[in-house]
Amino acid sequence: NWLYVGGSGPGNYSKIQGAIDNASDGDTVFVFSGTYFESLHVWKIILLCGQDRDSTIIDGSHNLENVITITSPNVCIKDFTISNSLDYSWAIFSNSDNVSIMINNIEHNSGAIYIKDCQNVTIKWNDITENHQQAIDLYNVSNSTISWNFIYGHYTQYLGTGVNLFLSKNITINDNTINHNYFGVDCSCSPYTTIYANKIESCEDIAIFFSNSSWCNISSNILSSYIDGVYLSSHSN
């Protein structure tokens, strides 16, 4: 079934959370263009889809929580602008398997995407720009892909990272454009990482940094305008 939010159709919900709460596993929640001042808890197996990524806006500025928190597996979030999470919160937080985050604008948040303690996550075709801390942060995540994203403008020292991995493994990072961040990719205690065909430019410090991370593969990347291109430390090989 499809549940509709906004627009002028009969029975349409005025709040996204109301549609999520009334959905059943396998349903689609379709959100018409507009600005929605909400913090969402996605606890059903649903596709949450905006009408247009530039005009369907979820704004977290009135709330102290993450803009979107995902606690169900098999969720897809696509075609939204997600903005204005407050300090120490995230645009999207998930601890669930088989989650897809696709074709979104994620901008002007404290942090953009934080994924932990799960596997089989896909982060693809997003524009992630000018968030205060990390763009993408994976903690204890496995068998996941970060591809075809545009990641720009994360400058905070030691926190302003395009892609940050910690205690993760079998992560593939490919075909991303990662520009004007403090670090491009920071890979700590994360073996079997594959980084290929990315364009990483104008980092304040290091383009690709490894710490305690082994059996990784770096190939066919374009790296320019940084202090160090690829830096290995602390028993990486």
Side-chain angles (χ1 to χ4, degrees), residues 24-88:
S24 298
D25 287 344
D27 285 353
T28 294
V29 174
F30 182 88
V31 183
F32 286 99
S33 295
T35 299
Y36 301 84
F37 295 96
E38 297 189 58
S39 288
L40 305 179
H41 178 199
V42 182
W43 56 285
K44 306 280 186 72
I45 299 172
I46 61 169
L47 165 61
L48 178 60
C49 179
Q51 182 177 8
D52 177 81
R53 67 186 288 178
D54 296 318
S55 61
T56 313
I57 302 165
I58 307 174
D59 187 314
S61 61
H62 292 190
N63 302 282
L64 298 176
E65 302 172 356
N66 305 313
V67 183
I68 300 176
T69 298
I70 302 169
T71 58
S72 170
N74 305 307
V75 166
C76 180
I77 308 290
K78 66 187 292 285
D79 288 308
F80 290 98
T81 290
I82 304 165
S83 63
N84 295 328
S85 74
L86 300 181
D87 289 347
Y88 308 110

Side-chain angles (χ1 to χ4, degrees), residues 39 124 130 158 214:
S39 288
K124 192 172 186 179
E130 296 182 342
Y158 305 123
S214 299

Side-chain angles (χ1 to χ4, degrees), residues 159-225:
L159 291 176
T161 304
V163 179
N164 184 67
L165 308 180
F166 186 72
L167 293 175
S168 297
K169 65 179 180 180
N170 293 326
I171 307 299
T172 299
I173 303 167
N174 69 280
D175 293 285
N176 301 282
T177 298
I178 304 174
N179 287 349
H180 294 275
N181 304 283
Y182 191 81
F183 288 119
V185 177
D186 186 343
C187 182
S188 298
C189 305
S190 298
Y192 306 105
T193 299
T194 299
I195 303 172
Y196 73 90
N198 300 282
K199 187 175 183 180
I200 305 176
E201 297 182 318
S202 301
C203 298
E204 290 291 308
D205 198 338
I206 300 170
I208 302 174
F209 177 78
F210 287 95
S211 175
N212 285 300
S213 299
S214 299
W215 304 288
C216 298
N217 189 318
I218 310 164
S219 62
S220 302
N221 300 282
I222 297 173
L223 312 177
S224 65
S225 299

